[in-house]
Amino acid sequence: PRSSIFRMLDSVMLMAPGGFLVYMGKANEAVPYFAKLGYHCPAETNPAEFLLDLVSIDSEDPRQATEDELRISHLAAAFAESQHTFERWLIPIQSENIDLELLLGNATS
C-alpha cells in the first residue's frame, strides 16, 4: 500500500515464499526490527515496498535468486529466534484421529 496507508496499520505479518514467517508485530516496529538485522530502509522509500523487497525472490536471475533465498532463510531464522520457539506459532491438534506422519509429510506411499 501507499506509505500513508501503511502508517495507518496497527500490525503486520510478513511471509516469504514457502510460508516462511519473517515478521509479525506492530507495523511501526517492522522497519526498525529489520534495521537491527542489518537491512535498512533507504530514505524516501515506501516502507511497504521495502518489506516486500525483503521477501521477494528474483526468479529471472539464478544467482540473485540464491542470494534472495539465503536472505529469506536468515530473516525467518532470526524471527523464529526472536520468538524463542517456533512452537508458539503451532496450532494445537485436538483430534486423536489425525495421522501426524501424514500431516508432517513423513508417511510412505
Side-chain angles (χ1 to χ4, degrees):
R2 294 187 336 230
S3 296
S4 59
I5 293 174
F6 182 80
R7 285 191 299 270
M8 294 187 324
L9 298 176
D10 291 324
S11 59
V12 171
M13 179 169 36
L14 187 61
M15 297 182 77
F20 294 103
L21 184 61
V22 300
Y23 181 81
M24 186 167 71
K26 294 180 179 180
N28 64 353
E29 294 177 2
V31 171
Y33 168 79
F34 289 107
K36 289 179 188 175
L37 297 177
Y39 301 95
H40 300 276
C41 183
E44 305 301 321
T45 299
N46 179 338
E49 289 181 23
F50 167 72
L51 295 174
L52 288 176
D53 285 345
L54 286 176
V55 296
S56 296
I57 298 173
D58 182 351
S59 59
E60 299 293 318
D61 180 352
R63 183 173 184 202
Q64 183 61 50
T66 299
E67 290 179 26
D68 295 342
E69 290 168 354
L70 289 171
R71 179 187 63 248
I72 290 168
S73 293
H74 170 254
L75 294 175
F79 183 72
E81 178 65 26
S82 77
Q83 302 305 304
H84 302 293
T85 177
F86 73 92
E87 294 169 357
R88 177 178 180 175
W89 305 107
L90 295 178
I91 299 170
I93 297 174
Q94 301 296 325
S95 174
E96 294 178 13
N97 298 327
I98 295 177
D99 183 341
L100 289 178
E101 286 188 7
L102 180 63
L103 182 66
L104 297 174
N106 296 331
T108 57
S109 302

